[in-house]
Amino acid sequence: MLNRRLVAFGIVAALAGLVPLINGISAAAPQTHHWVVARSVGLSTSAPGNKQMREPAGKMHTADMGWWRKARFGMFIHWGLYSVPAGVWNGKHAPEPGEWIKNNAHIPNKQYNALAKKFDPVDFNANQWVKIARHAGMKYIVITSKHHDGFSMFHTKATNFNIVKATPWHKDPLAMLSAACRHQGIKFCTYYSIMDWHSRDQVPAHPSATYPTYNPTHFAPGRGPAYLHYMERQLHELITQYHTHLFWFDGQWMHGWNKTYSHKLYSYIRSIDPTIIINARIGSGYGDYSTPEQHIPAQGLPGPWETCMTINNTWGYVSWDHDWKSSTTLIHHLIQCVSGGGNFLLNVGPTAKGVIPKPEVDRLLAVGQWLKVNGDAIYGSHRSPFKAALPFGYATQKRGKLFLEVTKWPKSRTLVVPMRNQITKASLLANPYITLQTASGAGGQLVYLPPTAPDQSASVIVLHVAGPIHPLQH
Ligand code: JFZ
């Protein structure tokens, strides 16, 4: 009971911090700066803070978002000490999500820290994880380098509370994943929590030797600058040692995190490597894209955005959660994101042994199968030209092409596409050799379909059209 109340409190606190932020960023028009400084220069030994590489005064969208906008589909990985208890504490189910167990089961530092001795992911295989992402059709991975629990999943000089020093495994999974990503052509990106339940610079909401509640923390008196410095040391490592392409910040609702800190952190990262993409959870309106969580905004958001989502009901592994979304649902979510101009970041929660659970792998590979056939409608595609929802599914587009992702195959065997443009050719993306008949009719262009849907999840029709789409308003 008490648990639930405090979890709810945490979510309300999180919401309070995030809503203005998401609104703030969507309102801003994207602006692009063309950086002459090459990424490799940014990663050289030149001192961070070098004047010439400093960020101009502008607040956001300074990174080249090119690869990220084309990628459309990424893998989120929540992996850390919390994967050891896996949602069970003192023999009882702790409230989800699994990575919140230190807060939600009110675990004192000493007991939580001891989990490190049990963290021995002998079955971890970086190449295999990246291969799973690749076969799922994902173009980037975002892994927790440090979640709210404060445990660093990489070799850091800033603290001994890290996977190399504190576990019997003594290995650096981020180094191995970064290398595997480079070999397999996947962008390596990192999640980093600003809130830290382990740091002595932050005070838990309700400190207690036996029943602490951590969320939301606040800075210990005068310790904000020291904590910022700690973060900068770690981010510097993540940039120079692991070549992270993106920082996915979180936990910015901790008390005391303010505009000055957001700005300092943003400028710091830019000063080291201006090509790094930064999400809006860095706080106070800074950041390059917004991050709606667990839901997809109906017609998308104006600026760059990415929905992150779990496959069951937790980010970090929970042994008893078997509430898996179907692969069809996941395919629909991916399509809906892209048709709204956004990315889809789908989460996996590997076990403490280092294994991505099979039900997750099965679903990812099914999405990958669909993308092998239909990827042209997703990668590098832009948002639907239509303002209102379409009765048969979704639309995405590229120069000269309109893709219709049909999730509800019409009994009438006719699609009504609400646009003025003439169709020069219509076919199934799965089979370009069979041409579909088309006609102009009331309400737009008509496309005549075969009697049954070729794909049980979503069948994609590709229409060749000249010039930009002119939607008919309805
Ligand atoms: C945060 C984390 O607390 C969580 O553990 C996970 O990492 C997720 C991806 O991000 O959770 C949030 C963030 C924002 C809201 C709720 C949970 N919110 O806006 O309601």
Side-chain angles (χ1 to χ4, degrees), residues 39-48 154-155 157 178 182 188 232-245 247 268 272-273 276:
R39 181 179 173 75
S40 54
V41 176
L43 294 172
S44 78
T45 48
S46 71
F154 60 105
H155 192 201
K157 293 196 181 71
S178 170
R182 203 160 45 246
F188 176 78
E232 287 178 350
R233 285 177 66 193
Q234 291 212 309
L235 300 180
H236 189 267
E237 292 171 333
L238 289 168
I239 296 169
T240 56
Q241 291 167 208
Y242 306 85
H243 311 297
T244 188
H245 286 82
F247 282 117
Y268 177 75
I272 303 171
D273 183 350
I276 289 179

PDB file of all heavy atoms in Angstrom, residues 39-48 154-155 157 178 182 188 232-245 247 268 272-273 276:
ATOM      1  N   ARG A  39      33.916  15.239 -36.313  1.00  0.00           N
ATOM      2  CA  ARG A  39      33.727  14.465 -35.111  1.00  0.00           C
ATOM      3  C   ARG A  39      35.060  13.999 -34.538  1.00  0.00           C
ATOM      4  O   ARG A  39      35.296  14.060 -33.344  1.00  0.00           O
ATOM      5  CB  ARG A  39      32.846  13.265 -35.438  1.00  0.00           C
ATOM      6  CG  ARG A  39      32.574  12.408 -34.247  1.00  0.00           C
ATOM      7  CD  ARG A  39      31.686  11.232 -34.605  1.00  0.00           C
ATOM      8  NE  ARG A  39      31.598  10.356 -33.445  1.00  0.00           N
ATOM      9  CZ  ARG A  39      30.877  10.635 -32.389  1.00  0.00           C
ATOM     10  NH1 ARG A  39      30.145  11.714 -32.359  1.00  0.00           N
ATOM     11  NH2 ARG A  39      30.864   9.830 -31.349  1.00  0.00           N
ATOM     12  N   SER A  40      35.963  13.568 -35.419  1.00  0.00           N
ATOM     13  CA  SER A  40      37.243  13.042 -34.927  1.00  0.00           C
ATOM     14  C   SER A  40      38.047  14.135 -34.226  1.00  0.00           C
ATOM     15  O   SER A  40      38.761  13.876 -33.273  1.00  0.00           O
ATOM     16  CB  SER A  40      38.036  12.460 -36.081  1.00  0.00           C
ATOM     17  OG  SER A  40      38.152  13.447 -37.088  1.00  0.00           O
ATOM     18  N   VAL A  41      37.879  15.367 -34.669  1.00  0.00           N
ATOM     19  CA  VAL A  41      38.574  16.472 -34.015  1.00  0.00           C
ATOM     20  C   VAL A  41      38.001  16.648 -32.611  1.00  0.00           C
ATOM     21  O   VAL A  41      38.726  16.814 -31.639  1.00  0.00           O
ATOM     22  CB  VAL A  41      38.426  17.781 -34.826  1.00  0.00           C
ATOM     23  CG1 VAL A  41      39.081  18.939 -34.087  1.00  0.00           C
ATOM     24  CG2 VAL A  41      39.048  17.599 -36.196  1.00  0.00           C
ATOM     25  N   GLY A  42      36.680  16.542 -32.537  1.00  0.00           N
ATOM     26  CA  GLY A  42      36.009  16.677 -31.247  1.00  0.00           C
ATOM     27  C   GLY A  42      36.503  15.637 -30.258  1.00  0.00           C
ATOM     28  O   GLY A  42      36.513  15.856 -29.065  1.00  0.00           O
ATOM     29  N   LEU A  43      36.904  14.498 -30.790  1.00  0.00           N
ATOM     30  CA  LEU A  43      37.323  13.413 -29.904  1.00  0.00           C
ATOM     31  C   LEU A  43      38.827  13.421 -29.658  1.00  0.00           C
ATOM     32  O   LEU A  43      39.346  12.577 -28.969  1.00  0.00           O
ATOM     33  CB  LEU A  43      36.911  12.070 -30.519  1.00  0.00           C
ATOM     34  CG  LEU A  43      35.414  11.855 -30.607  1.00  0.00           C
ATOM     35  CD1 LEU A  43      35.098  10.606 -31.385  1.00  0.00           C
ATOM     36  CD2 LEU A  43      34.804  11.787 -29.225  1.00  0.00           C
ATOM     37  N   SER A  44      39.520  14.383 -30.226  1.00  0.00           N
ATOM     38  CA  SER A  44      40.976  14.409 -30.054  1.00  0.00           C
ATOM     39  C   SER A  44      41.331  14.862 -28.647  1.00  0.00           C
ATOM     40  O   SER A  44      40.473  15.122 -27.822  1.00  0.00           O
ATOM     41  CB  SER A  44      41.601  15.358 -31.070  1.00  0.00           C
ATOM     42  OG  SER A  44      41.414  16.693 -30.633  1.00  0.00           O
ATOM     43  N   THR A  45      42.588  14.998 -28.407  1.00  0.00           N
ATOM     44  CA  THR A  45      43.040  15.320 -27.054  1.00  0.00           C
ATOM     45  C   THR A  45      42.882  16.807 -26.731  1.00  0.00           C
ATOM     46  O   THR A  45      43.180  17.229 -25.632  1.00  0.00           O
ATOM     47  CB  THR A  45      44.530  14.942 -26.881  1.00  0.00           C
ATOM     48  OG1 THR A  45      45.230  15.477 -28.002  1.00  0.00           O
ATOM     49  CG2 THR A  45      44.698  13.435 -26.832  1.00  0.00           C
ATOM     50  N   SER A  46      42.423  17.599 -27.686  1.00  0.00           N
ATOM     51  CA  SER A  46      42.290  19.034 -27.420  1.00  0.00           C
ATOM     52  C   SER A  46      41.431  19.269 -26.185  1.00  0.00           C
ATOM     53  O   SER A  46      40.427  18.610 -25.976  1.00  0.00           O
ATOM     54  CB  SER A  46      41.670  19.746 -28.621  1.00  0.00           C
ATOM     55  OG  SER A  46      40.316  19.391 -28.729  1.00  0.00           O
ATOM     56  N   ALA A  47      41.853  20.186 -25.380  1.00  0.00           N
ATOM     57  CA  ALA A  47      41.223  20.391 -24.072  1.00  0.00           C
ATOM     58  C   ALA A  47      39.749  20.715 -24.217  1.00  0.00           C
ATOM     59  O   ALA A  47      39.369  21.532 -25.054  1.00  0.00           O
ATOM     60  CB  ALA A  47      41.926  21.538 -23.354  1.00  0.00           C
ATOM     61  N   PRO A  48      38.897  20.079 -23.400  1.00  0.00           N
ATOM     62  CA  PRO A  48      37.494  20.453 -23.399  1.00  0.00           C
ATOM     63  C   PRO A  48      37.401  21.928 -22.984  1.00  0.00           C
ATOM     64  O   PRO A  48      38.120  22.366 -22.089  1.00  0.00           O
ATOM     65  CB  PRO A  48      36.861  19.538 -22.352  1.00  0.00           C
ATOM     66  CG  PRO A  48      37.986  18.880 -21.629  1.00  0.00           C
ATOM     67  CD  PRO A  48      39.206  19.003 -22.481  1.00  0.00           C
ATOM     68  N   PHE A 154      30.201   1.042 -16.580  1.00  0.00           N
ATOM     69  CA  PHE A 154      31.405   1.173 -17.404  1.00  0.00           C
ATOM     70  C   PHE A 154      32.608   1.453 -16.508  1.00  0.00           C
ATOM     71  O   PHE A 154      32.459   1.724 -15.312  1.00  0.00           O
ATOM     72  CB  PHE A 154      31.224   2.289 -18.448  1.00  0.00           C
ATOM     73  CG  PHE A 154      30.960   3.658 -17.863  1.00  0.00           C
ATOM     74  CD1 PHE A 154      31.963   4.631 -17.849  1.00  0.00           C
ATOM     75  CD2 PHE A 154      29.715   3.990 -17.322  1.00  0.00           C
ATOM     76  CE1 PHE A 154      31.728   5.896 -17.314  1.00  0.00           C
ATOM     77  CE2 PHE A 154      29.474   5.255 -16.787  1.00  0.00           C
ATOM     78  CZ  PHE A 154      30.485   6.205 -16.780  1.00  0.00           C
ATOM     79  N   HIS A 155      33.782   1.377 -17.093  1.00  0.00           N
ATOM     80  CA  HIS A 155      35.021   1.590 -16.362  1.00  0.00           C
ATOM     81  C   HIS A 155      35.224   3.087 -16.178  1.00  0.00           C
ATOM     82  O   HIS A 155      35.591   3.790 -17.119  1.00  0.00           O
ATOM     83  CB  HIS A 155      36.178   0.973 -17.148  1.00  0.00           C
ATOM     84  CG  HIS A 155      37.422   0.887 -16.348  1.00  0.00           C
ATOM     85  ND1 HIS A 155      38.668   0.773 -16.895  1.00  0.00           N
ATOM     86  CD2 HIS A 155      37.613   0.886 -15.008  1.00  0.00           C
ATOM     87  CE1 HIS A 155      39.568   0.714 -15.941  1.00  0.00           C
ATOM     88  NE2 HIS A 155      38.962   0.780 -14.779  1.00  0.00           N
ATOM     89  N   LYS A 157      36.783   6.341 -13.740  1.00  0.00           N
ATOM     90  CA  LYS A 157      37.718   6.714 -12.669  1.00  0.00           C
ATOM     91  C   LYS A 157      37.013   7.546 -11.607  1.00  0.00           C
ATOM     92  O   LYS A 157      37.568   7.832 -10.552  1.00  0.00           O
ATOM     93  CB  LYS A 157      38.881   7.514 -13.260  1.00  0.00           C
ATOM     94  CG  LYS A 157      39.772   6.687 -14.167  1.00  0.00           C
ATOM     95  CD  LYS A 157      41.108   7.401 -14.405  1.00  0.00           C
ATOM     96  CE  LYS A 157      41.994   6.600 -15.334  1.00  0.00           C
ATOM     97  NZ  LYS A 157      41.491   6.603 -16.733  1.00  0.00           N
ATOM     98  N   SER A 178      30.280  -0.948 -27.469  1.00  0.00           N
ATOM     99  CA  SER A 178      30.686   0.140 -28.355  1.00  0.00           C
ATOM    100  C   SER A 178      31.474  -0.420 -29.541  1.00  0.00           C
ATOM    101  O   SER A 178      31.241  -0.040 -30.696  1.00  0.00           O
ATOM    102  CB  SER A 178      31.519   1.150 -27.566  1.00  0.00           C
ATOM    103  OG  SER A 178      32.103   2.080 -28.440  1.00  0.00           O
ATOM    104  N   ARG A 182      30.392  -0.596 -33.535  1.00  0.00           N
ATOM    105  CA  ARG A 182      31.232  -0.040 -34.604  1.00  0.00           C
ATOM    106  C   ARG A 182      31.408  -1.078 -35.711  1.00  0.00           C
ATOM    107  O   ARG A 182      31.281  -0.778 -36.883  1.00  0.00           O
ATOM    108  CB  ARG A 182      32.575   0.390 -34.022  1.00  0.00           C
ATOM    109  CG  ARG A 182      33.279   1.446 -34.852  1.00  0.00           C
ATOM    110  CD  ARG A 182      34.345   2.219 -34.073  1.00  0.00           C
ATOM    111  NE  ARG A 182      35.198   1.401 -33.262  1.00  0.00           N
ATOM    112  CZ  ARG A 182      35.234   1.432 -31.923  1.00  0.00           C
ATOM    113  NH1 ARG A 182      34.441   2.247 -31.259  1.00  0.00           N
ATOM    114  NH2 ARG A 182      36.061   0.655 -31.253  1.00  0.00           N
ATOM    115  N   PHE A 188      26.198   3.675 -31.329  1.00  0.00           N
ATOM    116  CA  PHE A 188      26.258   3.402 -29.892  1.00  0.00           C
ATOM    117  C   PHE A 188      25.884   4.666 -29.122  1.00  0.00           C
ATOM    118  O   PHE A 188      26.484   5.723 -29.314  1.00  0.00           O
ATOM    119  CB  PHE A 188      27.662   2.947 -29.504  1.00  0.00           C
ATOM    120  CG  PHE A 188      27.854   2.741 -28.033  1.00  0.00           C
ATOM    121  CD1 PHE A 188      27.369   1.596 -27.407  1.00  0.00           C
ATOM    122  CD2 PHE A 188      28.499   3.698 -27.259  1.00  0.00           C
ATOM    123  CE1 PHE A 188      27.529   1.410 -26.044  1.00  0.00           C
ATOM    124  CE2 PHE A 188      28.670   3.525 -25.896  1.00  0.00           C
ATOM    125  CZ  PHE A 188      28.185   2.368 -25.286  1.00  0.00           C
ATOM    126  N   GLU A 232      30.356  15.554 -15.314  1.00  0.00           N
ATOM    127  CA  GLU A 232      31.209  15.938 -16.447  1.00  0.00           C
ATOM    128  C   GLU A 232      32.365  14.967 -16.631  1.00  0.00           C
ATOM    129  O   GLU A 232      32.707  14.599 -17.751  1.00  0.00           O
ATOM    130  CB  GLU A 232      31.720  17.377 -16.256  1.00  0.00           C
ATOM    131  CG  GLU A 232      30.607  18.394 -16.489  1.00  0.00           C
ATOM    132  CD  GLU A 232      31.028  19.842 -16.264  1.00  0.00           C
ATOM    133  OE1 GLU A 232      32.142  20.077 -15.745  1.00  0.00           O
ATOM    134  OE2 GLU A 232      30.215  20.735 -16.581  1.00  0.00           O
ATOM    135  N   ARG A 233      32.931  14.514 -15.520  1.00  0.00           N
ATOM    136  CA  ARG A 233      34.025  13.536 -15.627  1.00  0.00           C
ATOM    137  C   ARG A 233      33.525  12.253 -16.295  1.00  0.00           C
ATOM    138  O   ARG A 233      34.189  11.675 -17.148  1.00  0.00           O
ATOM    139  CB  ARG A 233      34.567  13.202 -14.238  1.00  0.00           C
ATOM    140  CG  ARG A 233      35.425  14.309 -13.658  1.00  0.00           C
ATOM    141  CD  ARG A 233      35.866  13.966 -12.252  1.00  0.00           C
ATOM    142  NE  ARG A 233      36.771  12.807 -12.198  1.00  0.00           N
ATOM    143  CZ  ARG A 233      37.085  12.168 -11.081  1.00  0.00           C
ATOM    144  NH1 ARG A 233      36.573  12.563  -9.924  1.00  0.00           N
ATOM    145  NH2 ARG A 233      37.905  11.135 -11.096  1.00  0.00           N
ATOM    146  N   GLN A 234      32.336  11.819 -15.887  1.00  0.00           N
ATOM    147  CA  GLN A 234      31.809  10.571 -16.440  1.00  0.00           C
ATOM    148  C   GLN A 234      31.402  10.730 -17.909  1.00  0.00           C
ATOM    149  O   GLN A 234      31.649   9.852 -18.723  1.00  0.00           O
ATOM    150  CB  GLN A 234      30.612  10.098 -15.611  1.00  0.00           C
ATOM    151  CG  GLN A 234      31.023   9.633 -14.221  1.00  0.00           C
ATOM    152  CD  GLN A 234      30.133   8.524 -13.700  1.00  0.00           C
ATOM    153  OE1 GLN A 234      28.913   8.648 -13.704  1.00  0.00           O
ATOM    154  NE2 GLN A 234      30.723   7.441 -13.238  1.00  0.00           N
ATOM    155  N   LEU A 235      30.785  11.868 -18.225  1.00  0.00           N
ATOM    156  CA  LEU A 235      30.362  12.088 -19.613  1.00  0.00           C
ATOM    157  C   LEU A 235      31.577  12.210 -20.520  1.00  0.00           C
ATOM    158  O   LEU A 235      31.578  11.717 -21.653  1.00  0.00           O
ATOM    159  CB  LEU A 235      29.472  13.330 -19.710  1.00  0.00           C
ATOM    160  CG  LEU A 235      28.181  13.266 -18.887  1.00  0.00           C
ATOM    161  CD1 LEU A 235      27.370  14.545 -19.065  1.00  0.00           C
ATOM    162  CD2 LEU A 235      27.331  12.055 -19.233  1.00  0.00           C
ATOM    163  N   HIS A 236      32.640  12.830 -19.988  1.00  0.00           N
ATOM    164  CA  HIS A 236      33.886  12.933 -20.753  1.00  0.00           C
ATOM    165  C   HIS A 236      34.402  11.528 -21.095  1.00  0.00           C
ATOM    166  O   HIS A 236      34.831  11.259 -22.219  1.00  0.00           O
ATOM    167  CB  HIS A 236      34.912  13.732 -19.962  1.00  0.00           C
ATOM    168  CG  HIS A 236      36.142  14.062 -20.738  1.00  0.00           C
ATOM    169  ND1 HIS A 236      37.265  13.270 -20.729  1.00  0.00           N
ATOM    170  CD2 HIS A 236      36.412  15.087 -21.595  1.00  0.00           C
ATOM    171  CE1 HIS A 236      38.177  13.802 -21.532  1.00  0.00           C
ATOM    172  NE2 HIS A 236      37.678  14.901 -22.073  1.00  0.00           N
ATOM    173  N   GLU A 237      34.329  10.641 -20.108  1.00  0.00           N
ATOM    174  CA  GLU A 237      34.751   9.254 -20.351  1.00  0.00           C
ATOM    175  C   GLU A 237      33.865   8.591 -21.399  1.00  0.00           C
ATOM    176  O   GLU A 237      34.352   7.895 -22.300  1.00  0.00           O
ATOM    177  CB  GLU A 237      34.689   8.448 -19.044  1.00  0.00           C
ATOM    178  CG  GLU A 237      35.718   8.886 -18.015  1.00  0.00           C
ATOM    179  CD  GLU A 237      35.517   8.230 -16.650  1.00  0.00           C
ATOM    180  OE1 GLU A 237      34.384   7.849 -16.292  1.00  0.00           O
ATOM    181  OE2 GLU A 237      36.520   8.118 -15.921  1.00  0.00           O
ATOM    182  N   LEU A 238      32.565   8.807 -21.282  1.00  0.00           N
ATOM    183  CA  LEU A 238      31.642   8.164 -22.221  1.00  0.00           C
ATOM    184  C   LEU A 238      31.856   8.674 -23.649  1.00  0.00           C
ATOM    185  O   LEU A 238      31.673   7.941 -24.610  1.00  0.00           O
ATOM    186  CB  LEU A 238      30.184   8.373 -21.778  1.00  0.00           C
ATOM    187  CG  LEU A 238      29.797   7.582 -20.521  1.00  0.00           C
ATOM    188  CD1 LEU A 238      28.447   8.046 -19.973  1.00  0.00           C
ATOM    189  CD2 LEU A 238      29.760   6.077 -20.801  1.00  0.00           C
ATOM    190  N   ILE A 239      32.268   9.920 -23.754  1.00  0.00           N
ATOM    191  CA  ILE A 239      32.513  10.477 -25.089  1.00  0.00           C
ATOM    192  C   ILE A 239      33.859  10.006 -25.646  1.00  0.00           C
ATOM    193  O   ILE A 239      33.942   9.520 -26.767  1.00  0.00           O
ATOM    194  CB  ILE A 239      32.476  12.027 -25.049  1.00  0.00           C
ATOM    195  CG1 ILE A 239      31.078  12.524 -24.662  1.00  0.00           C
ATOM    196  CG2 ILE A 239      32.880  12.607 -26.411  1.00  0.00           C
ATOM    197  CD1 ILE A 239      31.005  14.006 -24.330  1.00  0.00           C
ATOM    198  N   THR A 240      34.907  10.119 -24.824  1.00  0.00           N
ATOM    199  CA  THR A 240      36.242   9.851 -25.373  1.00  0.00           C
ATOM    200  C   THR A 240      36.584   8.356 -25.389  1.00  0.00           C
ATOM    201  O   THR A 240      37.257   7.891 -26.296  1.00  0.00           O
ATOM    202  CB  THR A 240      37.319  10.605 -24.573  1.00  0.00           C
ATOM    203  OG1 THR A 240      37.199  10.236 -23.201  1.00  0.00           O
ATOM    204  CG2 THR A 240      37.142  12.117 -24.704  1.00  0.00           C
ATOM    205  N   GLN A 241      36.110   7.588 -24.412  1.00  0.00           N
ATOM    206  CA  GLN A 241      36.454   6.163 -24.365  1.00  0.00           C
ATOM    207  C   GLN A 241      35.473   5.301 -25.137  1.00  0.00           C
ATOM    208  O   GLN A 241      35.822   4.232 -25.621  1.00  0.00           O
ATOM    209  CB  GLN A 241      36.495   5.667 -22.910  1.00  0.00           C
ATOM    210  CG  GLN A 241      37.654   6.238 -22.116  1.00  0.00           C
ATOM    211  CD  GLN A 241      37.521   6.015 -20.616  1.00  0.00           C
ATOM    212  OE1 GLN A 241      38.042   6.799 -19.855  1.00  0.00           O
ATOM    213  NE2 GLN A 241      36.807   4.960 -20.205  1.00  0.00           N
ATOM    214  N   TYR A 242      34.223   5.732 -25.191  1.00  0.00           N
ATOM    215  CA  TYR A 242      33.185   4.855 -25.776  1.00  0.00           C
ATOM    216  C   TYR A 242      32.552   5.463 -27.017  1.00  0.00           C
ATOM    217  O   TYR A 242      31.767   4.819 -27.679  1.00  0.00           O
ATOM    218  CB  TYR A 242      32.109   4.554 -24.734  1.00  0.00           C
ATOM    219  CG  TYR A 242      32.677   3.981 -23.457  1.00  0.00           C
ATOM    220  CD1 TYR A 242      33.156   4.808 -22.442  1.00  0.00           C
ATOM    221  CD2 TYR A 242      32.784   2.602 -23.293  1.00  0.00           C
ATOM    222  CE1 TYR A 242      33.711   4.289 -21.285  1.00  0.00           C
ATOM    223  CE2 TYR A 242      33.329   2.058 -22.137  1.00  0.00           C
ATOM    224  CZ  TYR A 242      33.797   2.917 -21.128  1.00  0.00           C
ATOM    225  OH  TYR A 242      34.343   2.387 -20.002  1.00  0.00           O
ATOM    226  N   HIS A 243      32.891   6.700 -27.291  1.00  0.00           N
ATOM    227  CA  HIS A 243      32.395   7.389 -28.497  1.00  0.00           C
ATOM    228  C   HIS A 243      30.882   7.356 -28.610  1.00  0.00           C
ATOM    229  O   HIS A 243      30.321   7.007 -29.646  1.00  0.00           O
ATOM    230  CB  HIS A 243      33.048   6.811 -29.749  1.00  0.00           C
ATOM    231  CG  HIS A 243      34.532   6.718 -29.614  1.00  0.00           C
ATOM    232  ND1 HIS A 243      35.327   7.836 -29.449  1.00  0.00           N
ATOM    233  CD2 HIS A 243      35.358   5.649 -29.546  1.00  0.00           C
ATOM    234  CE1 HIS A 243      36.595   7.440 -29.303  1.00  0.00           C
ATOM    235  NE2 HIS A 243      36.631   6.127 -29.352  1.00  0.00           N
ATOM    236  N   THR A 244      30.232   7.682 -27.511  1.00  0.00           N
ATOM    237  CA  THR A 244      28.767   7.700 -27.542  1.00  0.00           C
ATOM    238  C   THR A 244      28.294   8.746 -28.550  1.00  0.00           C
ATOM    239  O   THR A 244      28.875   9.832 -28.650  1.00  0.00           O
ATOM    240  CB  THR A 244      28.188   7.968 -26.133  1.00  0.00           C
ATOM    241  OG1 THR A 244      26.773   7.780 -26.187  1.00  0.00           O
ATOM    242  CG2 THR A 244      28.461   9.396 -25.644  1.00  0.00           C
ATOM    243  N   HIS A 245      27.259   8.412 -29.319  1.00  0.00           N
ATOM    244  CA  HIS A 245      26.735   9.334 -30.324  1.00  0.00           C
ATOM    245  C   HIS A 245      25.616  10.204 -29.772  1.00  0.00           C
ATOM    246  O   HIS A 245      25.174  11.143 -30.425  1.00  0.00           O
ATOM    247  CB  HIS A 245      26.182   8.565 -31.530  1.00  0.00           C
ATOM    248  CG  HIS A 245      27.253   7.992 -32.385  1.00  0.00           C
ATOM    249  ND1 HIS A 245      27.881   6.795 -32.100  1.00  0.00           N
ATOM    250  CD2 HIS A 245      27.823   8.453 -33.522  1.00  0.00           C
ATOM    251  CE1 HIS A 245      28.785   6.552 -33.028  1.00  0.00           C
ATOM    252  NE2 HIS A 245      28.774   7.529 -33.900  1.00  0.00           N
ATOM    253  N   PHE A 247      23.413  11.357 -25.872  1.00  0.00           N
ATOM    254  CA  PHE A 247      23.108  11.211 -24.449  1.00  0.00           C
ATOM    255  C   PHE A 247      21.605  11.270 -24.229  1.00  0.00           C
ATOM    256  O   PHE A 247      20.946  12.224 -24.647  1.00  0.00           O
ATOM    257  CB  PHE A 247      23.786  12.297 -23.606  1.00  0.00           C
ATOM    258  CG  PHE A 247      25.242  12.036 -23.374  1.00  0.00           C
ATOM    259  CD1 PHE A 247      26.200  12.898 -23.859  1.00  0.00           C
ATOM    260  CD2 PHE A 247      25.648  10.905 -22.667  1.00  0.00           C
ATOM    261  CE1 PHE A 247      27.551  12.656 -23.646  1.00  0.00           C
ATOM    262  CE2 PHE A 247      27.003  10.648 -22.446  1.00  0.00           C
ATOM    263  CZ  PHE A 247      27.948  11.529 -22.942  1.00  0.00           C
ATOM    264  N   TYR A 268      28.932  21.965 -21.935  1.00  0.00           N
ATOM    265  CA  TYR A 268      30.110  21.126 -21.696  1.00  0.00           C
ATOM    266  C   TYR A 268      30.213  20.026 -22.753  1.00  0.00           C
ATOM    267  O   TYR A 268      31.268  19.821 -23.368  1.00  0.00           O
ATOM    268  CB  TYR A 268      30.061  20.513 -20.292  1.00  0.00           C
ATOM    269  CG  TYR A 268      31.227  19.588 -20.041  1.00  0.00           C
ATOM    270  CD1 TYR A 268      32.500  20.099 -19.806  1.00  0.00           C
ATOM    271  CD2 TYR A 268      31.070  18.208 -20.103  1.00  0.00           C
ATOM    272  CE1 TYR A 268      33.586  19.260 -19.628  1.00  0.00           C
ATOM    273  CE2 TYR A 268      32.146  17.353 -19.921  1.00  0.00           C
ATOM    274  CZ  TYR A 268      33.402  17.881 -19.681  1.00  0.00           C
ATOM    275  OH  TYR A 268      34.477  17.054 -19.517  1.00  0.00           O
ATOM    276  N   ILE A 272      33.034  19.454 -26.053  1.00  0.00           N
ATOM    277  CA  ILE A 272      33.897  18.299 -26.302  1.00  0.00           C
ATOM    278  C   ILE A 272      33.613  17.718 -27.683  1.00  0.00           C
ATOM    279  O   ILE A 272      34.519  17.381 -28.428  1.00  0.00           O
ATOM    280  CB  ILE A 272      33.692  17.208 -25.242  1.00  0.00           C
ATOM    281  CG1 ILE A 272      33.947  17.782 -23.860  1.00  0.00           C
ATOM    282  CG2 ILE A 272      34.629  16.036 -25.488  1.00  0.00           C
ATOM    283  CD1 ILE A 272      33.558  16.830 -22.772  1.00  0.00           C
ATOM    284  N   ASP A 273      32.335  17.589 -27.986  1.00  0.00           N
ATOM    285  CA  ASP A 273      31.961  17.026 -29.292  1.00  0.00           C
ATOM    286  C   ASP A 273      30.611  17.582 -29.725  1.00  0.00           C
ATOM    287  O   ASP A 273      29.572  17.131 -29.261  1.00  0.00           O
ATOM    288  CB  ASP A 273      31.906  15.498 -29.198  1.00  0.00           C
ATOM    289  CG  ASP A 273      31.584  14.870 -30.544  1.00  0.00           C
ATOM    290  OD1 ASP A 273      31.220  15.611 -31.481  1.00  0.00           O
ATOM    291  OD2 ASP A 273      31.693  13.633 -30.662  1.00  0.00           O
ATOM    292  N   ILE A 276      27.316  15.385 -30.885  1.00  0.00           N
ATOM    293  CA  ILE A 276      26.522  14.501 -30.020  1.00  0.00           C
ATOM    294  C   ILE A 276      25.087  15.019 -29.897  1.00  0.00           C
ATOM    295  O   ILE A 276      24.852  16.205 -29.660  1.00  0.00           O
ATOM    296  CB  ILE A 276      27.186  14.366 -28.636  1.00  0.00           C
ATOM    297  CG1 ILE A 276      28.461  13.515 -28.785  1.00  0.00           C
ATOM    298  CG2 ILE A 276      26.240  13.736 -27.620  1.00  0.00           C
ATOM    299  CD1 ILE A 276      29.222  13.327 -27.505  1.00  0.00           C
TER     300      ILE A 276
END
